[in-house]
Amino acid sequence: MKNDYIPQLSTIKEVIRHTDLEYTFRMEYEGEVKPGQFFEISLPKFGEAPISVSGIGDGTVDFTIRRVGKVTNEIFENYVGDRLFIRGPYGNGFLLDHYRGKELVIVTGGTGLSPVRGVVEHFARHPEEAMGTTLIAGFKSPKDVLFKEDFDFWREKISVIQTVDAAPEGYEGPVGMVTKYIPTLKLKHLEHASFICVGPPVMIRFTVMEILKLGVPEESIWVSHERKMCCGLGKCGHCKIGSSYVCLDGPVFNYTDGKELID
């Protein structure tokens, strides 16, 4: 019987560099995983960190990691052929059935694209399963953009607005916060619209405010509180908000529940 407390060794199959601080580690893994779930990645003597799944392959799972602390600094010293400890997956993830047959809009900020990348990828490869799919993805600057090769493919299959907060002289792409582009959406089937919003708490707050102005009901909006994750098992209490444990009840919440989780 599987012991959820015990991690397993996983081999790094590929390392993809996006920016100076963000790499994707493609790890060996066999098992069912959903977009939006997370694993604990650990190294003896350094500790462990909860990392969202950013890609699901045949016998592999991707983790897009930002180098921000003791554990992630050490992970960045490991490359193809090295092994890390992982345990999971944890959390509920995004259920694709919630969005099939809908006019889906996905709004992300920075690394918030990582946990929802699997949803974007699915509907880009199966556009017939939705009435339409739009991705609005915001980054601080052009050099902070993640998954650049994916964007090239996504633009061919779905509607994509890739915006930056600030751009150097000569930059010709969209500029401004993601909230700027929500009022410009031309939703053909408002009664069948579904929204996913993932990013920093302040970004989620103001993005949802703009979505509600369109007349979209709260129950058609999903948010992720993935930055609150900790032990993954509901034991440490760090992710507890009110009566909810983000690692168990989330990190993905319908907004009717998510709006009550004050970060």
Side-chain angles (χ1 to χ4, degrees):
M1 185 169 61
K2 180 183 177 183
N3 186 329
D4 287 333
Y5 290 91
I6 300 177
Q8 65 184 67
L9 272 173
S10 175
T11 301
I12 300 173
K13 309 298 289 185
E14 185 177 0
V15 177
I16 304 164
R17 176 175 174 173
H18 304 292
T19 72
D20 291 341
L21 293 178
E22 286 112 351
Y23 292 9
T24 289
F25 290 77
R26 182 158 293 158
M27 307 291 299
E28 184 179 54
Y29 181 76
E30 295 288 348
E32 185 177 349
V33 188
K34 295 192 289 290
Q37 289 188 300
F38 68 97
F39 283 70
E40 297 285 346
I41 300 182
S42 61
L43 283 166
K45 299 182 182 180
F46 292 94
E48 64 180 9
I51 306 293
S52 294
V53 171
S54 63
I56 303 165
D58 184 11
T60 64
V61 63
D62 290 357
F63 302 101
T64 300
I65 301 174
R66 182 176 177 84
R67 188 173 190 160
V68 293
K70 179 180 178 181
V71 179
T72 54
N73 284 346
E74 188 63 23
I75 289 172
F76 268 53
E77 298 302 317
N78 290 264
Y79 294 96
V80 175
D82 291 342
R83 296 196 294 176
L84 301 172
F85 283 97
I86 66 173
R87 60 179 176 90
Y90 300 119
N92 55 2
F94 293 99
L95 298 180
L96 296 179
D97 283 345
H98 284 155
Y99 317 114
R100 288 189 172 99
K102 304 289 186 178
E103 188 163 6
L104 176 60
V105 180
I106 301 167
V107 188
T108 67
T111 55
L113 177 57
S114 298
V116 79
R117 176 175 172 246
V119 179
V120 179
E121 186 73 6
H122 177 86
F123 287 102
R125 294 191 178 277
H126 305 281
E128 74 285 353
E129 292 189 10
M131 290 183 175
T133 303
T134 299
L135 170 65
I136 304 174
F139 298 93
K140 286 184 178 180
S141 70
K143 66 181 179 64
D144 295 305
V145 174
L146 304 178
F147 312 118
K148 293 178 181 178
E149 292 184 2
D150 290 338
F151 273 106
D152 292 338
F153 171 72
W154 294 340
R155 288 189 182 96
E156 297 177 359
K157 303 296 182 179
I158 63 175
S159 176
V160 174
I161 300 171
Q162 179 195 301
T163 182
V164 295
D165 298 345
E169 185 177 351
Y171 180 78
E172 298 181 353
V175 178
M177 302 293 183
V178 292
T179 50
K180 171 183 175 181
Y181 297 93
I182 293 172
T184 70
L185 292 171
K186 306 297 182 184
L187 298 174
K188 299 178 181 178
H189 308 281
L190 183 61
E191 69 277 15
H192 297 297
S194 288
F195 281 76
I196 296 173
C197 183
V198 188
V202 67
M203 171 262 177
I204 293 177
R205 177 188 174 192
F206 286 101
T207 297
V208 170
M209 288 172 59
E210 291 298 326
I211 294 170
L212 293 175
K213 289 178 184 178
L214 298 176
V216 176
E218 292 182 349
E219 58 266 25
S220 296
I221 304 170
W222 279 262
V223 297
S224 176
H225 289 270
E226 52 99 16
R227 82 177 192 90
K228 294 289 290 183
M229 304 172 310
C230 201
C231 74
L233 296 164
K235 300 300 183 183
C236 72
H238 282 78
C239 74
K240 191 172 187 291
I241 306 176
S243 61
S244 296
Y245 287 85
V246 173
C247 67
L248 299 179
D249 303 317
V252 178
F253 293 89
N254 185 270
Y255 185 66
T256 54
D257 297 316
K259 69 179 181 179
E260 305 296 335
L261 303 179
I262 306 300
D263 193 351

